[in-house]
Amino acid sequence: MAIKDYIRQRYFPQMWCPGCGHGIILNALLRAVDEMGLDKNNIVMTSGIGCSARISGYVDFHSLHTLHGRALAFATGVKLSKPELTLLVPMGDGDALAIGGNHFIHAARRNIDMTAIVMNNRIYGMTGGQYSPLSGYGKKATTAPYTTIDNDFDVVNLSIAAGASFVARSTAYHVLESIDILKKAIQHKGFSVVEILSQCPTYYGRKNKEGDAVSMMEFQKNTTAKLGSKALEKDPTLIPRGIFVDVDAPEYCQEYDKIVERAMKASQNNRVDQTLTTEAGHTCPTP
Amino acid sequence: MARLKLKEHVINRDWCKGCGICVHFCPKKVLELDSQEKVIAVRPEDCICCKLCELRCPDLAIEVVTIQTNQEAQTDQTTRMSEDD
Ligand SMILES: Cc1ncc(C[n+]2csc(CCOP(=O)(O)OP(=O)(O)O)c2C)c(N)n1
Ligand code: SF4
Ligand code: SF4
Ligand code: SF4
């Protein structure tokens, strides 16, 4: 299918600022879905609130634009009731790891089959450039005019520690890599986290003098390196990109099915036990 | 593998926001912004059909339509360049 068949064209041009990295992540995600040949009627995208979360309005999949930080909770509900559907959960860094941090670690711990995409622009874009748990020490934001003193999370390490069975990182600049990683993440059975470094030229870029979208993407190119590359070996201060974890682990919906089966068997056995004891006639209480 | 030949760059001027991403990162400097800050293909003959402009456009505003050796126009990616590490 053509890429235009996966979007709601009536909502274009989209609302993001010129050069916003979130648009490139949308582009990459559409390519991944197209190349995988997924039926759009079997895809559900849930999102929370933020510039990033607006992505669910643009895709022609089933979509739920929900509450700030709660995209994974809604996705969990959808997935448990219809495990055959493919769940895509794009989130901003605030959405995923500030207000939504608890949902995030617990979804990872359960290893429920869905793809969480952290559209990390290191700031709250939608509400005017407040710093986020991913801004990092020494960065500027409207709420940190003299720089932040908070350390940032490492999304990859956090996800691994929480139990995600697929964990990867890329950037908006590395769009081919992002497409490839997204395909693998969607294919993966279990909780997949894909962090994609995105640019918010309007707030993060302006506040931190990183220039326009183009120079922020040059920055993504120059400050990251592929896992296992010579560049990373030479300069360990570079941010590593690639797939960090990809393991088979028991998936939540499948485990839940097993519990249902066990409960059914147990109740059947109970019934049999009851009938037997009733027939034998000793333990049956008088009505 | 069949080589791709450029048919045309299809640019949606209503969607293009003139961010310049496609212009800056085109490996062959094929694209420029015009006086209205919309992208145009000024050197289409230099285009190597890598489609990086199309894939990196945040606004889905540029499409590189190619012709394969069998002369059929097509828009999906059959050959792709790699991006630098
Ligand atoms: C419960 C609740 N608290 C706060 C807000 C205000 N709010 C809206 S979006 C947002 C943060 C957006 O930042 P992020 O999730 O990083 O996404 P971005 O806009 O940067 O893409 C906040 C705090 C809200 N909508 N709901
Ligand atoms: S404010 Fe930032 S994150 Fe929001 S659309 Fe603009 S550039 Fe993108
Ligand atoms: S990347 Fe897209 S929006 Fe930006 S200038 Fe090129 S065509 Fe226009
Ligand atoms: S396809 Fe590649 S070479 Fe051609 S205009 Fe786009 S970026 Fe430039």
Side-chain angles (χ1 to χ4, degrees):
Chain A
M1 282 209 305
I3 234 57
K4 299 244 155 70
D5 296 328
Y6 292 99
I7 58 173
R8 297 173 180 148
Q9 287 197 52
R10 61 189 181 282
Y11 297 133
F12 282 73
Q14 35 84 336
M15 54 74 69
W16 292 313
C17 305
C20 174
H22 291 353
I24 304 179
I25 298 174
L26 168 65
N27 196 334
L29 186 62
L30 295 171
R31 311 283 162 175
V33 167
D34 184 40
E35 288 177 23
M36 290 174 81
L38 298 179
D39 178 352
K40 61 182 182 175
N41 292 320
N42 292 334
I43 304 175
V44 184
M45 180 182 283
T46 70
S47 72
I49 300 295
C51 296
S52 43
R54 294 291 292 267
I55 191 173
S56 65
Y58 299 123
V59 293
D60 196 27
F61 311 145
H62 300 290
S63 61
L64 287 161
H65 190 183
T66 70
L67 308 173
H68 192 32
R70 270 72 206 181
L72 285 168
F74 283 86
T76 300
V78 173
K79 185 70 186 177
L80 272 173
S81 61
K82 290 205 172 290
E84 67 277 14
L85 298 176
T86 299
L87 266 294
L88 304 177
V89 194
M91 296 169 283
D93 42 296
D95 205 28
L97 290 151
I99 192 168
N102 239 318
H103 292 294
F104 188 88
I105 54 175
H106 291 289
R109 180 176 60 81
R110 290 178 178 137
N111 195 36
I112 186 161
D113 183 27
M114 54 183 63
T115 303
I117 303 156
V118 182
M119 302 163 76
N120 182 8
N121 59 15
R122 310 181 70 176
I123 206 146
Y124 292 176
M126 174 147 277
T127 43
Q130 295 83 357
Y131 68 89
S132 95
L134 288 166
S135 298
Y137 184 90
K139 294 297 180 313
K140 283 194 176 170
T142 43
T143 46
Y146 305 108
T147 73
T148 54
I149 55 167
D150 286 34
N151 294 316
D152 52 343
F153 279 133
D154 180 319
V155 181
V156 165
N157 288 341
L158 177 75
S159 307
I160 297 171
S165 52
F166 183 101
V167 181
R169 181 190 284 128
S170 189
T171 82
Y173 169 80
H174 298 91
V175 66
L176 297 175
E177 181 185 81
S178 292
I179 295 169
D180 186 51
I181 285 177
L182 284 168
K183 289 197 315 201
K184 291 182 174 134
I186 297 169
Q187 207 116 50
H188 177 78
K189 187 103 193 133
F191 193 73
S192 305
V193 178
V194 182
E195 178 190 20
I196 303 182
L197 306 183
S198 183
Q199 69 273 9
C200 169
T202 303
Y203 291 111
Y204 189 88
R206 229 167 26 196
K207 289 276 168 207
N208 290 289
K209 306 222 168 2
E210 282 192 13
D212 60 2
V214 163
S215 48
M216 292 182 84
M217 286 174 74
E218 285 283 355
F219 193 77
Q220 292 165 6
K221 177 176 149 189
N222 298 329
T223 56
T224 66
K226 250 199 176 106
L227 274 176
S229 66
K230 280 246 157 59
L232 191 62
E233 203 179 301
K234 261 197 241 151
D235 183 0
T237 64
L238 295 175
I239 301 168
R241 303 189 323 268
I243 298 171
F244 296 76
V245 170
D246 183 0
V247 293
D248 285 330
E251 193 275 324
Y252 198 66
C253 297
Q254 289 177 345
E255 292 304 307
Y256 190 70
D257 280 349
K258 289 187 205 159
I259 288 295
V260 171
E261 212 173 291
R262 209 173 295 161
M264 300 271 266
K265 232 179 240 159
S267 74
Q268 242 164 25
N269 288 346
N270 276 349
R271 240 175 282 144
V272 174
D273 286 350
Q274 259 170 20
T275 340
L276 286 180
T277 46
T278 315
E279 275 166 7
H282 16 133
T283 49
C284 185
T286 42
Chain B
M1 201 202 276
R3 270 195 61 169
L4 293 181
K5 212 172 148 273
L6 180 73
K7 182 162 176 270
E8 57 178 334
H9 294 87
V10 180
I11 292 155
N12 185 333
R13 294 181 66 86
D14 292 334
W15 292 10
C16 171
K17 294 182 188 144
C19 69
I21 290 173
C22 59
V23 175
H24 180 82
F25 291 110
C26 168
K28 294 292 170 189
K29 301 287 161 236
V30 172
L31 309 167
E32 279 180 18
L33 294 182
D34 67 13
S35 57
Q36 294 177 312
E37 304 261 286
K38 303 283 179 186
V39 76
I40 44 165
V42 286
R43 282 171 286 277
E45 64 283 1
D46 292 345
C47 177
I48 53 168
C49 304
C50 67
K51 301 196 178 187
L52 284 170
C53 52
E54 177 178 329
L55 297 175
R56 286 206 186 101
C57 173
D59 288 274
L60 310 177
I62 179 165
E63 192 181 350
V64 182
V65 182
T66 53
I67 306 166
Q68 261 183 324
T69 35
N70 65 9
Q71 295 302 305
E72 249 183 69
Q74 56 116 50
T75 54
D76 61 323
Q77 302 90 47
T78 43
T79 57
R80 268 183 183 173
M81 225 182 101
S82 69
E83 57 210 359
D84 328 329
D85 283 344

